[in-house]
Amino acid sequence: MKRISSIVLAMLAVSCGSRTPYDAQGTFEATEVVVSSEATGRILDFNVEEGMPVTEGAVVGAIDSIQLHLQRKQLSAQLSALTNSRPDIQAQAASLREQIAKQQTECRRVKNLLRDGAATQKQLDDIEAQIRLLESQLTATLSTLGKNTASINDNAAALEAQIAALDDRIAKCRIQSPVAGTVLVKYAETGELASVGKPLMKIADLDHIYLRAYFTSDQLGRFGLGDEVRVVADFGGDERYDYEGRIMWISSESEFTPKTIQTKDSRANLVYAVKIAVENDGRLKIGLAGDVLL
């Protein structure tokens, strides 16, 4: 009888000792970025593997852009031909300006002769009329050449804009990593056909990871944004490691307790999600369980 009583007391002691010491529980997550194709074409190379680290802006692959390069070459030829057709206003107006200068010289000579009585007023009037005609022709020529030049410049600007658009599309044929991180999933392979919006890979910054934990409403008053807490990563068995965490986000709306989460108050049905930033030492992985101690 004493032996049975001892066993019962031992079981009760173990039961009391195993009471959950944490204030909240959650899983580790990271900000994940899905990199999608920005161009349509066959993937010529895609040099990434799952688990591979990548730097921000690193080119990790390429999509066929030969047709875009050919279109750009055609537009460049059109632009060159158009700019070469731009009129030389100074050269084309030089002839009229030279004629006007000669007539003005002749006009001064006739005026001198008229003062000496060696020329008539009609001769002077004819020369002045000729000068006015030449000046009118020069004005009209300059106006026409100016309009032609403006039209050519407008067409050239349109072609330059098309070339710039092609350059942008060609640049998007390079598969780049928009952020620094680790490749979690690779969705495409070399030789496959890519289309705009098709996912190519998923990247996450595993150096800056966070624990998404769930707290009951009566716990929210015990901490605020920026507060430091203790995070315990549970690797299974007795393998547990402590980390310093900082509250970076608190949900403004409650939700039903996720099935995989246990709360300190088993009666709580509604909880608030909280993100706790943790510096990863290389051991933390996405989906790993963690506890929070306030």
Side-chain angles (χ1 to χ4, degrees), residues 178-234:
V179 296
T182 302
V183 178
L184 300 182
V185 185
K186 182 180 180 181
Y187 297 113
E189 297 291 342
T190 300
E192 292 184 4
L193 184 65
S195 58
V196 176
K198 176 181 179 179
L200 300 176
M201 60 181 176
K202 182 190 290 185
I203 301 174
D205 182 4
L206 299 183
D207 291 332
H208 301 87
I209 204 166
Y210 60 87
L211 178 72
R212 181 186 289 270
Y214 296 86
F215 292 84
T216 58
S217 58
D218 60 337
Q219 292 176 305
L220 294 182
R222 298 171 58 187
F223 59 84
L225 290 176
D227 287 355
E228 293 186 356
V229 296
R230 186 157 66 94
V231 174
V232 182
D234 187 355

Side-chain angles (χ1 to χ4, degrees), residues 95-106:
S95 176
L96 287 172
R97 288 195 173 99
E98 185 178 351
Q99 295 180 50
I100 291 173
K102 289 181 178 180
Q103 290 298 321
Q104 288 174 341
T105 301
E106 183 66 18

Side-chain angles (χ1 to χ4, degrees), residues 54-219:
V54 291
T55 58
E56 182 179 355
V59 178
V60 296
I63 297 173
D64 185 15
S65 61
I66 183 64
Q67 293 299 321
L68 297 177
H69 280 288
L70 292 176
Q71 291 179 35
R72 191 189 190 286
K73 186 176 180 180
Q74 180 183 12
L75 289 176
S76 296
Q78 293 178 10
L79 178 61
S80 178
L82 188 62
T83 53
N84 289 335
S85 68
R86 185 181 288 117
D88 188 342
I89 296 178
Q90 297 301 322
Q92 295 191 38
S95 176
L96 287 172
R97 288 195 173 99
E98 185 178 351
Q99 295 180 50
I100 291 173
K102 289 181 178 180
Q103 290 298 321
Q104 288 174 341
T105 301
E106 183 66 18
C107 181
R108 289 191 294 270
R109 189 181 70 81
V110 171
K111 283 181 179 180
N112 291 333
L113 292 174
L114 183 61
R115 282 196 299 269
D116 296 336
T120 64
Q121 184 64 40
K122 183 178 183 307
Q123 288 177 308
L124 179 61
D125 292 342
D126 289 345
I127 292 175
E128 290 178 343
Q130 183 65 25
I131 292 174
R132 287 193 295 271
L133 177 62
L134 290 173
E135 289 176 341
S136 178
Q137 291 178 1
L138 177 61
T139 301
T141 299
L142 291 175
S143 177
T144 301
L145 293 176
K147 291 179 180 178
N148 290 340
T149 301
S151 177
I152 291 173
N153 290 339
D154 290 341
N155 291 333
L159 287 175
E160 289 172 349
Q162 293 181 49
I163 291 174
L166 277 176
D167 287 339
D168 180 65
R169 292 176 61 187
I170 291 172
K172 289 178 178 177
C173 288
R174 297 192 298 268
I175 303 173
Q176 292 181 283
S177 173
V179 296
T182 302
V183 178
L184 300 182
V185 185
K186 182 180 180 181
Y187 297 113
E189 297 291 342
T190 300
E192 292 184 4
L193 184 65
S195 58
V196 176
K198 176 181 179 179
L200 300 176
M201 60 181 176
K202 182 190 290 185
I203 301 174
D205 182 4
L206 299 183
D207 291 332
H208 301 87
I209 204 166
Y210 60 87
L211 178 72
R212 181 186 289 270
Y214 296 86
F215 292 84
T216 58
S217 58
D218 60 337
Q219 292 176 305

Side-chain angles (χ1 to χ4, degrees), residues 216-218 256-257 262-271:
T216 58
S217 58
D218 60 337
F256 287 103
T257 306
Q262 296 179 4
T263 61
K264 192 171 184 180
D265 183 359
S266 61
R267 297 169 299 174
N269 290 322
L270 294 177
V271 291

